[in-house]
């Protein structure tokens, strides 16, 4: 139940921000596009042009951290 409450709280914060309403803090949505592209040796331009292929780039990046 705590996970659902936290999800709803975060969703509400995000929706309020999108409506330009005041929130207790800005929502943060990390996006590691540049990092993942560089980590697997793909140019950012190629990353942006690959569309659905970006998921593969992210997975390749994150799996490279498995030790």
């Amino acid at each position: 139940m705590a996970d659902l409450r936290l999800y709803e709280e975060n969703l509400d914060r995000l929706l309020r921000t999108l409506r330009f309403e005041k929130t207790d803090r800005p929502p943060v949505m990390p996006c590691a596009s540049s990092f993942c592209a560089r980590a697997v040796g793909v140019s950012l331009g190629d990353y942006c042009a690959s569309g659905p292929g970006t998921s593969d780039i992210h997975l390749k990046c994150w799996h490279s951290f498995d030790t």
Side-chain angles (χ1 to χ4, degrees):
M1 272 317 217
D3 289 340
L4 181 59
R5 186 173 44 82
L6 183 60
Y7 169 80
E8 290 173 351
E9 179 182 314
N10 288 331
L11 180 61
D12 180 62
R13 183 178 294 119
L14 177 62
L15 293 174
R16 285 177 179 270
T17 299
L18 292 173
R19 292 189 303 255
F20 299 103
E21 296 174 2
K22 187 173 176 139
T23 59
D24 59 337
R25 62 179 181 223
V28 175
M29 298 178 68
C31 181
S33 304
S34 298
F35 173 80
C36 288
R38 186 172 184 169
V40 299
V42 175
S43 74
L44 190 55
D46 289 341
Y47 171 90
C48 293
S50 65
T54 58
S55 298
D56 294 332
I57 293 170
H58 277 260
L59 290 173
K60 188 175 180 180
C61 174
W62 301 130
H63 286 291
S64 71
F65 290 110
D66 290 341
T67 56

